[in-house]
């Protein structure tokens, strides 16, 4: 992330906070950076309760975290969206989110989409919205995936 000025607050959404989303959350909260506002969207209420018990912001007071059960509780524009959900219905969810929010950057975790068709549709949609996107799938290095 580039620093525009000292008063800029970076707004980040973590959509899905299981193991991978949790690791993103831990990494972001350990940054020595300007202000960061993290919105975690997690559809597992027990998981939200467990996450709230962890004091992620203890070491960095420039970071704030809010937890949401539904994406519709949020509004506005965000610097980064991290999608760490399963790939099942991801295209449909992604399209819905990107019609609701303005996003600059996107990180998709795991397998991106369930089909080449969904991948192409998503690629066209992301290009139209001018959202710079990365897919992080460590399994891509496994011989069986090659």
């Amino acid at each position: 992330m580039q620093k525009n000025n000292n008063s800029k607050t970076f707004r980040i959404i973590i959509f899905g906070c299981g193991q991978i989303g949790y690791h993103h959350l831990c990494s972001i909260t350990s940054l020595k950076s300007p202000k960061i506002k993290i919105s975690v969207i997690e559809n597992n209420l027990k998981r939200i309760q467990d996450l709230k018990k962890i004091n992620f912001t203890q070491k960095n007071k420039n970071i704030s975290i809010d937890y949401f059960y539904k994406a519709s509780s949020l509004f506005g524009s965000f610097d980064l969206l991290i999608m760490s959900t399963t790939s099942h219905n991801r295209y449909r969810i992604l399209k819905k989110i990107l019609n609701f929010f303005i996003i600059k950057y996107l990180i998709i975790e795991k397998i991106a989409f369930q089909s080449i068709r969904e991948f192409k549709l998503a690629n066209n949609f992301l290009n139209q919205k001018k959202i710079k996107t990365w897919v992080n799938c460590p399994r891509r290095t496994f011989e069986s995936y090659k």
Side-chain angles (χ1 to χ4, degrees):
M1 289 181 273
Q2 293 179 347
K3 185 175 167 184
N4 293 342
N5 61 47
N6 290 337
S7 63
K8 167 80 169 141
T9 297
F10 292 100
R11 295 186 71 202
I12 299 171
I13 297 174
I14 298 176
F15 197 98
C17 204
Q19 289 181 2
I20 294 174
Y22 174 79
H23 289 291
H24 278 288
L25 183 59
C26 290
S27 295
I28 293 166
T29 57
S30 69
L31 293 173
K32 303 287 186 246
S33 63
K35 294 179 183 178
I36 299 174
K37 182 169 178 51
I38 305 168
S39 299
V40 175
I41 302 169
E42 173 58 57
N43 66 2
N44 181 330
L45 289 174
K46 169 110 174 64
R47 182 68 173 157
I48 290 173
Q49 291 169 348
D50 291 344
L51 290 168
K52 284 182 175 181
K53 292 176 186 175
I54 302 169
N55 190 356
F56 290 103
T57 60
Q58 180 180 7
K59 293 180 184 175
N60 190 341
K61 300 301 178 190
N62 285 331
I63 294 177
S64 65
I65 305 171
D66 294 309
Y67 299 92
F68 301 92
Y69 180 71
K70 295 181 179 181
S72 59
S73 302
L74 288 171
F75 61 91
S77 63
F78 294 85
D79 296 292
L80 174 64
L81 166 62
I82 300 170
M83 287 202 70
S84 58
T85 62
T86 64
S87 61
H88 180 70
N89 291 324
R90 184 175 284 153
Y91 173 70
R92 183 183 54 79
I93 293 167
L94 179 64
K95 191 168 180 181
K96 188 175 184 180
I97 289 172
L98 296 180
N99 280 325
F100 196 68
F101 302 117
I102 297 169
I103 305 289
K104 290 181 187 175
Y105 304 104
L106 169 64
I107 297 173
I108 298 174
E109 284 293 345
K110 307 174 193 172
I111 301 297
F113 300 98
Q114 287 292 312
S115 69
I116 293 171
R117 179 185 161 275
E118 284 184 350
F119 187 88
K120 288 179 180 179
L121 289 169
N123 189 47
N124 290 338
F125 189 68
L126 292 166
N127 284 333
Q128 287 173 356
K129 296 270 187 181
K130 295 182 174 138
I131 299 171
K132 189 162 185 153
T133 304
W134 294 266
V135 176
N136 184 31
C137 181
R139 293 179 185 165
R140 74 188 180 282
T141 61
F142 293 1
E143 199 57 41
S144 61
Y145 281 80
K146 292 179 184 178

